[in-house]
Amino acid sequence: MYGNDFTAPDGLRPAPDAGGDEPASFLAVLADGGRIEPRDEMPEAYRRSLVRQIAQHAHSEIIGMQPEGNWIARAPSLRRKGILMAKVQDEAGHGLYLYAAAETLGVDRADLLDQLHDGRQKYSSIFNYPTLTWADMGAIGWLVDGAAIVNQVPLCRCSFGPYARAMVRVCKEESFHQRQGFEILHTLSHGTPAQRAMAQDAVDRYWWPSLMMFGPSDTGPDAATGHTAQSMAWGIKRFSNDELRQRFIDMTVPQAEALGLTLPDPELRWNDERGHYDHGPIDFTELFDVIKGNGPCNQERMAHRVGAHEDGAWVREAAEAYAAKRAPEAVA
Amino acid sequence: MTTPRITPRTTSAHVDYVLGLADDALVSAQRMGWWISRAPQLEEDLALANIGLDLLGQARSLLSHAGRLEGEGRDEDDLAYWRDERDFRNVKLVERPQDDFGVAMARLLVLSTWQSELYAALQRSSDPVLAAVAAKASKEVAYHHDHARQWVLRLGDGTDESHARMQAALDAEWPWVAELFDQSHLDPALVAEGVAVAPESLREPVLRRLGDVVREATLEVPEVAPRVPGGRAGLHTEHLGRLLAEMQHLTRSHPGATW
């Protein structure tokens, strides 16, 4: 995603990050379109909001390793296996840059991981869907990474310097992943009838969850909900969820045509007047249900992550003990 | 890909030799892939993915070479996905599960030490492709060895728990080390022609280097009886069949498909 920041409407929303108390230097940088750097003055609420968003983004990268990791062992050719391993490795790398960006705000990666593991912090709801066939590797690359790019390109101009710079690198790699996903689906949709059916099924399952990645509607009557208004005022967010979602749909429909696959929305059609594609209603109750923990794989994703963390505790403790033995002078 | 079929073992000693090295790398890469998203820390997910990718790359070069030597039109995927377990030539060291980090590092230490000696010698092979693959792989396995060595040192000389677990991991891997030096299934002519490296010639340097790391890690070199060899002749543990079932299932479910 994952650079979005939303929760279910009931109960899970963090305390509102009220503005006010904004140092003049901070406001001047924002007015100038400049970058806030870690040592600059910033309101506490801005710092807190960024920590939450960057941590959620980092968590999404590392949880996102699981649905694709699910197919490394079964990739259907050695070339595809290598590409998939490298892709999942890139996601671990994105997690690292993002945890490092969050740490510039005075938090610690270990604490952020604890908050992920005990449920205080979230990750993108999209990774709570299962990867049932090989074609899901294509659909995730094409749709999920495609949606992520639309979300993240504006974050390259986000007001917080370390986050913006991390996004520049992440976006380059995501763009590569998106083309890989497209290429997987292109091969399948031009392959055997069974491969073609596998590709269509994956697109049918991932289309609506991909649209939900942009978050609930936040324009028109919903404009006052969520964090959008405050995040836009602070230069963290540049466009509304709805604008970004529309951009993604407009970009994706012609690509689906090029693939020869259909998108599962009978109301999807070009609107000359708006200059955009119209689409059918999005069932946000499903999104909120998944965010609340009732998605198809929420428990499995967390159990996998917490299991890896706990199984590795003895290794991390040993590394620390070894380092401490080797550096007595540095400690003294 | 040619028409998929389950094919019998080859009759060429040269092809079998290359396949053995290819399968060592392929099966190791398959086991290493399991760790991605399960490592003790994020940096290690990256490192193990790197190592897995290197091993997969070695496997692909070697399988392609074996296919060309064989001359029956089989490519890397035909050889990886359409041979049954009796036709795999890897040593048994690499095929067993490794879901304990200590075991993974013990095994990587053994494998990378052996591969670094092997590839150093193979750079002088009279088979120019094998020599070229060995030259590239030498740089990769030097990194794998350094990585495994660092972890064996940290775990051996870390906490009491890690010391005990690392020793247990070495004890578990050591019976499978001797098979690396077994030459009962290698045609001596291949060594005489300068194609292959005599496995027995690697025993002394590999065991010496392993012993050095183990002792530096405050651990003991296990004194255990070696398990019977046979992997190079397609006589494996029961674990390989399951590994291949998972690896090959999708491809075999769609004969003739392109991916």
Side-chain angles (χ1 to χ4, degrees), chain A residues 53-70:
Chain A
Q53 179 168 337
I54 299 172
Q56 179 176 318
H57 194 161
H59 299 331
S60 300
E61 295 285 358
I62 66 167
I63 296 289
M65 294 166 71
Q66 291 180 37
E68 291 175 287
N70 183 36

Side-chain angles (χ1 to χ4, degrees), chain A residues 24-44:
Chain A
S25 59
F26 172 78
L27 292 172
V29 172
L30 287 191
D32 228 25
R35 293 274 164 79
I36 307 293
E37 295 300 334
R39 287 163 185 271
D40 293 347
E41 278 193 294
M42 65 184 86
E44 178 55 21

